[in-house]
Amino acid sequence: QQQVKQSPQSLIVQKGGISIINCAYENTAFDYFPWYQQFPGKGPALLIAIRPDVSEKKEGRFTISFNKSAKQFSLHIMDSQPGDSATYFCAASKGGFQKLVFGTGTRLLVSP
Amino acid sequence: GAGVSQSPSNKVTEKGKDVELRCDPISGHTALYWYRQRLGQGLEFLIYFQGNSAPDKSGLPSDRFSAERTGESVSTLTIQRTQQEDSAVYLCASSPQTGTNSPLHFGNGTRLTVT
């Protein structure tokens, strides 16, 4: 049973635009929601993470919006750059552990 | 220092053979995780080691899969009698301690192809 649903599967954004990736989860026990960025041939790297006690977290051009009642969270990349072209994964875990449940990924292409 | 190191980077094996995948975590990291990434899919949790505690093996897909860790260093993931559905990238990650206050540091993975 897939517990974290991610959309879209792929996304093309022009340079300078806003990239938005959405995730929905089912398990209300989840209490940690990270986003990972993965370049081809590399392992994923933590980008930004949020806990359910806040509705938004911003780090530079990256923002997570969290809607606890809707069980949804999203990643916004402002002023998208070609170097942001990568696959992005949302994930969730519970109980303070890193036993993460991942979404299926979004392949982002930022056109110059 | 160096990041998480995995070897081999690529492995092609025949169906039915056993394979061993190695992970060298970042020095001093007590927690070590194995994940599997199938083509076009997200990562699946396989197993987790934390210090001298019993490992969490709840993600291992079958008894053909096993993993060991020597103290707080090297870990080996073994797949016996490989099947074609085992083809995937196997990722290892480590973190300084358990808990979500410590981010996971992933290696670049071992790409396993079973023919």
Side-chain angles (χ1 to χ4, degrees):
Chain A
Q1 179 185 9
Q2 183 184 4
Q3 296 187 50
V4 179
K5 295 183 180 180
Q6 183 171 347
S7 63
Q9 188 174 14
S10 62
L11 181 62
I12 301 175
V13 173
Q14 286 192 337
K15 178 182 176 181
I18 302 174
S19 303
I20 302 174
I21 305 171
N22 301 298
C23 283
Y25 63 97
E26 300 169 5
N27 190 339
T28 56
F30 286 148
D31 58 9
Y32 175 69
F33 303 88
W35 284 89
Y36 280 81
Q37 179 188 55
Q38 185 177 31
F39 293 104
K42 302 294 185 183
L46 178 65
L47 193 60
I48 187 172
I50 199 169
R51 299 182 192 277
D53 52 342
V54 297
S55 60
E56 185 175 282
K57 182 175 182 180
K58 184 176 181 179
E59 289 184 2
R61 296 183 295 108
F62 301 93
T63 300
I64 299 179
S65 296
F66 185 81
N67 186 329
K68 189 174 181 179
S69 60
K71 293 187 287 184
Q72 296 176 345
F73 58 111
S74 60
L75 175 70
H76 295 229
I77 306 174
M78 312 300 288
D79 187 26
S80 299
Q81 299 297 311
D84 297 330
S85 297
T87 299
Y88 293 81
F89 293 94
C90 61
S93 69
K94 61 183 179 180
F97 294 98
Q98 294 274 21
K99 187 174 166 181
L100 296 168
V101 177
F102 281 82
T104 52
T106 296
R107 182 171 291 184
L108 171 65
L109 176 64
V110 181
S111 59
Chain B
V4 176
S5 178
Q6 292 188 245
S7 60
S9 55
N10 282 283
K11 176 72 176 179
V12 180
T13 190
E14 292 180 353
K15 177 182 174 181
K17 296 288 180 73
D18 298 351
V19 294
E20 282 190 355
L21 312 180
R22 177 187 170 104
C23 172
D24 285 89
I26 294 172
S27 178
H29 282 196
T30 61
L32 186 147
Y33 303 75
W34 284 97
Y35 282 83
R36 176 172 70 178
Q37 184 173 25
R38 287 175 161 156
L39 185 64
Q41 298 188 24
L43 285 71
E44 303 170 70
F45 168 81
L46 296 178
I47 188 169
Y48 157 61
F49 296 90
Q50 171 58 46
N52 294 320
S53 302
D56 178 350
K57 304 180 182 181
S58 61
L60 294 179
S62 77
D63 59 8
R64 296 186 297 104
F65 288 72
S66 63
E68 294 183 347
R69 187 180 186 192
T70 307
E72 293 186 351
S73 61
V74 172
S75 176
T76 302
L77 177 68
T78 300
I79 308 173
Q80 296 178 312
R81 305 181 302 281
T82 52
Q83 303 294 314
Q84 288 188 330
E85 64 262 27
D86 299 334
S87 295
V89 176
Y90 289 82
L91 290 157
C92 175
S94 68
S95 67
Q97 56 188 331
T98 187
T100 52
N101 288 324
S102 298
L104 292 183
H105 299 261
F106 280 90
N108 291 334
T110 292
R111 181 176 298 277
L112 175 66
T113 303
V114 182
T115 61

